[in-house]
Amino acid sequence: MKTELLLLAKYEQVLIPLKVFAKDIMGIELQTARNRISAGTFPVPLTRTGRDPMVHVADAAAYIEKCRGAPLQQPPPSSSQPTSPASYNKSTESQQQQRPLRFLKKKDVCAKIGRSRSSVDNLRKTDPSFPEPIQDGSGSGAILYWYEHEVETWMRQWSEAHR
């Protein structure tokens, strides 16, 4: 329910245009979304208003929660107390969770952390703190996506541990 309310607040309408949903929430281009619709693999039901396909916010919220595995948590209420370095990190993380969701493909993760594709594969196998990707599709043709804020959080934690 919280995710649905957040989407309503962000888009200010009950129906989200496919182009916006594909780019903002799924992190894919409109043509990729259309290809998946044609192939019958698009993960969200569509509604048509005129010519334009739309996604209902309830379906968009269900998709996000399914990908995430749990509803989004609300950030803790802010206090007027001075910020210590430890609480600064926590507030920075909650601010990042308030940003729009952005998915990164493997090549984007590689660029962001400055590692090769095989190095990212090794991190997935050997580092339990490395974020788990979301798999779109099955088999060898599956596309992996990571939440940008989870990758950034891992980067901060990794850099702190290796100073």
Side-chain angles (χ1 to χ4, degrees):
M1 185 66 174
K2 292 176 187 175
T3 306
E4 189 173 340
L5 292 174
L6 290 171
L7 290 172
L8 280 170
K10 177 175 176 149
Y11 295 108
E12 299 178 345
Q13 56 189 11
V14 176
L15 296 175
I16 304 169
L18 175 62
K19 180 179 181 178
V20 174
F21 177 81
K23 184 176 182 189
D24 290 358
I25 296 173
M26 293 185 74
I28 60 174
E29 296 295 322
L30 177 59
Q31 190 57 49
T32 304
R34 287 183 176 150
N35 292 345
R36 291 181 185 171
I37 292 166
S38 296
T41 60
F42 196 71
V44 179
L46 298 173
T47 302
R48 291 220 180 253
T49 57
R51 282 187 29 182
D52 300 326
M54 308 286 266
V55 176
H56 193 279
V57 291
D59 296 325
Y63 171 77
I64 291 170
E65 290 175 3
K66 178 183 172 193
C67 290
R68 185 76 183 120
L72 293 176
Q73 299 296 314
Q74 284 186 321
S78 61
S79 66
S80 58
Q81 298 175 355
T83 307
S84 69
S87 64
Y88 175 77
N89 289 340
K90 291 177 186 172
S91 67
T92 304
E93 287 178 20
S94 68
Q95 287 172 356
Q96 287 201 341
Q97 290 176 357
Q98 292 175 2
R99 293 188 318 192
L101 284 178
R102 181 161 180 243
F103 293 106
L104 300 174
K105 290 184 178 178
K106 191 176 196 176
K107 67 178 182 174
D108 302 320
V109 172
C110 293
K112 190 171 232 4
I113 69 172
R115 304 245 182 131
S116 68
R117 295 172 71 86
S118 61
S119 178
V120 169
D121 290 336
N122 286 336
L123 281 171
R124 288 184 56 212
K125 294 174 188 170
T126 61
D127 186 349
S129 67
F130 192 73
E132 282 294 317
I134 299 164
Q135 185 170 325
D136 186 16
S138 61
S140 62
I143 300 172
L144 299 177
Y145 296 99
W146 283 261
Y147 287 104
E148 181 179 44
H149 73 272
E150 289 181 355
V151 172
E152 290 171 350
T153 299
W154 176 84
M155 289 172 62
R156 276 191 301 282
Q157 291 170 347
W158 187 90
S159 65
E160 288 295 320
H162 292 86
R163 283 189 181 202

